[in-house]
Amino acid sequence: MEKRKMENLCIETSLLGFGCMRFPTDESGKIERVQAKAMMEKAMAAGVNYIDTAYPYHGGESELFVGEVLKEHPRDSFYLATKLPLWEVNSLEDVDRIFNRQLEKLQVEYIDFYLMHALNGGRWGEMLKMGVVERLEQLKAEGKIRYLGFSFHDSYEAFEEILSSRDWDFCQIQLNYMDTEEQAGLEGYALAEQKGIPMVIMEPVKGGSLAAFASDITEKFHAHDPQASMASFALRWVGSLPNVKVVLSGMSTMEQVEDNLKTFGDFKPLSEAEQTTVKEVVELMKSRVQNGCTGCRYCMPCPAGVNIPGTFGCWNRYHMYQNYNVVKHHWENDLGDAGQAKNCIKCGKCEQVCPQHLHIRDDLERAQADLDAHVYIV
């Protein structure tokens, strides 16, 4: 198993981290414990020593389950990461209550990697006012937290402010080869590397979007290795960055565990030729975007209730990935029947205010037809 040294902490972690938010579930939605335990045991036996969970994962069941599995292993054989749900913190008493409950659920006396969960600029200001960081530093001084960091979802500017505010032990960002300019992005990676702050990466396969493609893209990757999975190229792209110390994968099946162990068991950074292919694939997918909607929401609210930017987001991703499953949940559930393009009444109000001067009414009609057709199913 590929290991990476966090020089500032003088420890070594497995490059593959087991993300505990997508365990297999039974018909009731509960974790399928026999299968999930077998997956964790297989990964740990192969050398995975970084286990990442969080307070809300699986409706709160993840920490309980992870604690049950890990209690059968020596405490010094793994690094356990979990997170403080900032949206539930309204006082320092909440910090103590939640943290103590996490120790109880996980059946441990300390947390190795403790993160302020889903930090952004707004929450950062709120946590500073409440003194949450100072309270977490106290828990660290007491030995209940070994390393303090944060997971992040916001702009680069917010990331720069937060990262520069104190000497963080580590940080966690979303990064993959399609999202190099989203959120913290590669610019944020470079800043953390400059500061000597090791990085944990989430969404390396973009929620599964980079795990299945239409044949034209699959063939490009398979020209390098016909036996490799599409996910392995995405994981290797992230792992090729030297300051990435852990790449989290939320594995849902034993097949995914085995594929990831194959990728990281004999890890090879992407070659120059493979890096070129990744760039070509990114350009190809971006060329399939159907319109230039930036999600600015000047067109909203729509008098007919259409979620215009949401519709165009689905439409563009559908064509980029040529895979309906990438947008299925957002289109069918998040937007739902009421928010879909078919409800457009052609009033034209949206087009009068669109900064991009898009032909919104025509595009909505095209989007509905394309997404209803389900042509791209991988």
Side-chain angles (χ1 to χ4, degrees):
M1 173 59 56
E2 177 78 3
K3 298 286 178 64
R4 292 280 170 91
K5 187 171 183 179
M6 295 190 179
E7 289 84 358
N8 62 326
L9 307 180
C10 299
I11 63 171
E12 234 179 23
T13 56
S14 56
L15 182 55
L16 174 61
F18 202 120
C20 300
M21 67 175 292
R22 294 191 176 103
F23 285 126
T25 55
D26 60 25
E27 293 179 357
S28 68
K30 296 292 185 181
I31 294 171
E32 209 302 308
R33 290 175 173 244
V34 173
Q35 185 180 350
K37 181 178 181 181
M39 290 163 56
M40 282 190 69
E41 295 290 358
K42 187 173 187 68
M44 294 180 75
V48 173
N49 67 4
Y50 191 99
I51 311 298
D52 173 89
T53 183
Y55 194 73
Y57 290 175
H58 284 281
E61 189 186 4
S62 178
E63 288 180 326
L64 279 168
F65 170 72
V66 168
E68 291 172 7
V69 174
L70 293 182
K71 72 180 179 182
E72 299 178 11
H73 293 260
R75 184 62 184 89
D76 61 358
S77 68
F78 60 85
Y79 295 106
L80 175 60
T82 194
K83 309 172 186 76
L84 177 68
L86 302 182
W87 55 93
E88 293 197 18
V89 174
N90 297 299
S91 68
L92 294 182
E93 288 73 22
D94 287 335
V95 175
D96 293 338
R97 173 182 55 81
I98 293 169
F99 183 78
N100 288 330
R101 177 59 178 146
Q102 290 176 299
L103 291 181
E104 180 183 335
K105 290 166 71 178
L106 290 161
Q107 303 185 53
V108 293
E109 295 182 354
Y110 63 90
I111 306 297
D112 297 288
F113 289 82
Y114 199 64
L115 299 88
M116 299 178 73
H117 197 176
L119 196 55
N120 57 36
R123 283 182 180 150
W124 175 241
E126 293 169 4
M127 296 304 111
L128 286 178
K129 287 179 184 176
M130 274 189 277
V132 170
V133 177
E134 289 81 359
R135 180 61 189 132
L136 295 177
E137 287 173 340
Q138 289 173 6
L139 291 172
K140 184 179 174 184
E142 294 168 11
K144 295 180 179 179
I145 294 171
R146 293 184 67 187
Y147 313 118
L148 181 60
F150 62 93
S151 66
F152 179 81
H153 293 287
D154 203 347
S155 66
Y156 169 78
E157 290 73 22
F159 180 77
E160 182 178 24
E161 177 188 350
I162 295 167
L163 197 72
S164 304
S165 67
R166 67 180 300 278
D167 292 328
W168 297 99
D169 294 319
F170 71 105
C171 67
Q172 179 173 312
I173 67 168
Q174 174 180 316
L175 187 63
N176 56 71
Y177 62 69
M178 281 301 299
D179 293 334
T180 58
E181 297 178 6
E182 299 292 323
Q183 299 185 24
L186 278 179
E187 192 174 5
Y189 167 84
L191 180 66
E193 185 175 45
Q194 175 191 328
K195 291 179 174 293
I197 300 172
M199 304 202 84
V200 177
I201 301 300
M202 57 185 159
E203 300 297 343
V205 193
K206 198 174 170 65
S209 299
L210 306 181
F213 297 108
S215 60
D216 57 342
I217 290 178
T218 300
E219 287 167 6
K220 284 180 177 290
F221 283 121
H222 276 171
H224 298 285
D225 183 349
Q227 304 303 318
S229 67
M230 295 300 99
S232 70
F233 287 98
L235 293 165
R236 288 174 58 217
W237 182 87
V238 174
S240 298
L241 299 166
N243 193 44
V244 169
K245 307 303 182 180
V246 178
V247 181
L248 293 174
S249 178
M251 294 167 266
S252 302
T253 66
M254 184 62 83
E255 290 73 23
Q256 290 173 359
V257 173
E258 291 169 347
D259 187 56
N260 286 348
L261 292 178
K262 179 182 175 183
T263 299
F264 289 95
D266 183 22
F267 183 79
K268 293 180 176 64
L270 289 185
S271 66
E272 187 175 336
E274 288 171 324
Q275 292 279 12
T276 298
T277 294
V278 168
K279 291 176 183 176
E280 291 172 354
V281 166
V282 170
E283 290 305 311
L284 175 58
M285 287 198 284
K286 288 183 176 178
S287 74
R288 293 171 173 170
V289 169
Q290 299 297 294
N291 74 7
C293 176
T294 64
C296 70
R297 302 186 67 83
Y298 276 74
C299 58
M300 297 295 285
C302 165
V306 177
N307 185 331
I308 297 170
T311 293
F312 289 153
C314 279
W315 188 38
N316 285 325
R317 288 196 306 279
Y318 172 64
H319 281 279
M320 283 172 67
Y321 295 98
Q322 296 195 347
N323 184 348
Y324 180 68
N325 289 326
V326 168
V327 300
K328 185 178 190 297
H329 186 272
H330 186 56
W331 177 246
E332 296 179 8
N333 299 95
D334 294 342
L335 266 67
D337 195 70
Q340 290 184 5
K342 62 187 176 184
N343 297 302
C344 173
I345 58 175
K346 308 283 187 183
C347 68
K349 190 176 178 182
C350 52
E351 294 182 7
Q352 296 171 14
V353 295
C354 177
Q356 310 302 320
H357 306 293
L358 301 178
H359 300 293
I360 294 177
R361 288 172 288 184
D362 290 343
D363 284 353
L364 285 174
E365 190 172 338
R366 291 169 58 208
Q368 187 75 47
D370 286 354
L371 287 161
D372 282 347
H374 299 181
V375 172
Y376 300 132
I377 299 181
V378 178

